[in-house]
Amino acid sequence: MVANQSLTADAVRESGVGGEPDIRLERVTKRFGDVLVIDDLDLEIERGAFYALLGPSGCGKTTTLRMIGGFELPTAGRVLLGGTEVTNAPPHKRDVNTVFQSYALFPHLTIEKNVAFGLERKGVGKAETRRRVAEALETVQLPHLAKRKPAQLSGGQQQRVALARALVNRPRALLLDEPLGALDLRLRRQLQLELKRIQQEVGITFIHVTHDQEEAMSMADTIAVMNRGRIEQAGTATDLYERPRTEFVAKFLGVSNLVRGTVGQANGELSAVTTHDGATLHAPTNRCAEHAGGAVSVGVRPEKVKLTPAEQPTPDGANVLRGQVVLSSFLGVSLQYVVRTAGGEELIVLAQNADGSLPESLGAGREVQLTWDPRHTFVVAAEDGARA
Amino acid sequence: MGLSLSQRRRLIPWMFAIPGLLWLIVFFAIPLANQASVSLMTGDPEAGYSLTWAFDTYTSAISDYKEQFLRSFLYAGAATVIDLVIAFPLAYFMAYKAGRWRNLMLLLVVLPFFMSYVLRTVSWQLILADNGWVVERLRDVGLVADDGRVLATGTAVIAGIAYNFLPFMVLPLYVALERIDRRFVEAATDLYASRLTAFRKVTLPLAIPGIFAGSLLVFIPACGDFVNAALLGTPRQYMIGNVVQSKFLNVLDYPTAAALSFILMTIILVGIVLYSRLLGTRNLTEAAT
């Protein structure tokens, strides 16, 4: 196929540049009036990646996407696509396409005409356009709706058309601005899988903006967690979940049990951390080194913790905290406990539902101990004040 | 009540329509039928008129006042085009660029309505006066001959109509443009359309309902207008409205006046159908939903 050949040719040309990231933001700052929205941001995205920008509303993720698309211009810094600077280029001169949150399908044009819009502007021939439009509608499984108008389609169908309208141009990258935000949960989960499948099929770089951590984790190869106009941490879902580097990331992705403390002596692979109420915990030294002597939060994920009655012996070398069960609830697939520790924190423990009931010995009011493997402990710099 | 809940539910919307329907019957349908019968009467103002089914009133009305009919459509059409050209950029600016000045601009557009229609038109007599500033400047640049004039010409009448009906073009255009989601334009530029192409392919087609509404709101009343021709023109610029007015109020030839009105109404109705075909009725109804 002609198109695939040109795609490969592009890939070859790209690799010739020599490991240059395909999309790059250099020290980008964006202000709206006095409001600092993007704060000295650096971002590099490899060709063919499924890259998620994840963060709460107002963190600057959509603005970042819009600067790549050309809808906003940076106040300072540079935007590069495939090594070429496009910082101030208008959207129609950029080889990227956007799937808008509202879909923004042209209401006066049929689905077919909507999808053909970009190809017609680029001057692609009629026969070629017809063929590629049909192919794109095939990819999103909507060839039978080609002659309809957008208003006659359901939300999920419109979303797929928006995807086809962008994909058909075979852009360098597809920018997805909360593309599933307007859909109900079931449809959203279904389309997540479909998006992932399509991305693997076409091999185009996807940059996906979302505030839904589950969505980001299930789809993206790399997730950048954004907060206050900066990237807090970028990495794989496993990286971010198992080894968060900031308190914000620890809290934004999944549930975190955090206890304030101070990093103490290193002893080989593990270092001691003294909690604010005097208990000693251990964490991998490589996660502690940068915080030596400083105030930190020690954390562990709820499913890594084992809950046992207070009188039972604990395994050697495990981290142990003592506390009292505040709440125990049956969630079906798991059992959830809220435990108030001796230091006053309320920690959450998730236990597998192996026996089909909540054990009496771990009911509300019982004295218990929380134990976990020090390797599952993460350490982040302590932050002042409560944040989401 | 012998009606079930669901029957009553179905009846309620119809009840809401009753005041409007009564209004239409009393002030539109009955007078219309009355005038239809008047148009088929013969007689004279002294002895009175009686219904004789005189259809030849229509044929003679057309042949006698063909010129005024044509002039009406020509003047109204010219004014509509002028208004469209002036109003579109203005409405575009108000809808997208005016920001906090938008409401002030809307007020300024409707401000002339606070003044009497006749007074506004009379003031155009001063604006276009032979020794006025405007005409002298036009003479300077050679658009008007040294001994030429603007007042009492077709140009003056068209200018008056265009001026008086401009708000009827601006407002529907503004509403149509303002309703267009700017993200459609963003999507178009994202899909490699320049700003001009995005306007041509997205904004303009989506503004068609506004263009249609504005054109009708200007063209239809302008066709029947007699004030501008009477105040800014001479009998040589008279439109069909002037003829109807004089037949009704001066000559008291009611059948001819009524026949002229029906002819005008018929031509306009046919014109609207053709115009909506031209702009695409399907587009119209769909863009409006």
Side-chain angles (χ1 to χ4, degrees), chain B residues 57-77 219 222-225 235-244 247 256-268:
Chain B
T57 312
Y58 279 82
T59 47
S60 57
I62 292 176
S63 55
D64 289 353
Y65 299 106
K66 204 167 24 181
E67 198 188 332
Q68 281 81 358
F69 270 117
L70 282 175
R71 194 178 292 129
S72 292
F73 299 131
L74 181 73
Y75 286 4
F219 184 77
C223 279
D225 184 75
R236 278 184 295 129
Q237 280 79 41
Y238 273 7
M239 298 162 69
I240 203 65
N242 302 89
V243 179
V244 174
K247 289 284 174 202
T256 304
L260 286 169
S261 300
F262 274 98
I263 294 165
L264 181 66
M265 200 168 78
T266 310
I267 296 174
I268 288 176

Side-chain angles (χ1 to χ4, degrees), chain A residues 329-342:
Chain A
S329 39
F330 183 81
L331 300 183
V333 68
S334 61
L335 310 172
Q336 179 183 280
Y337 301 94
V338 179
V339 179
R340 191 189 310 280
T341 63

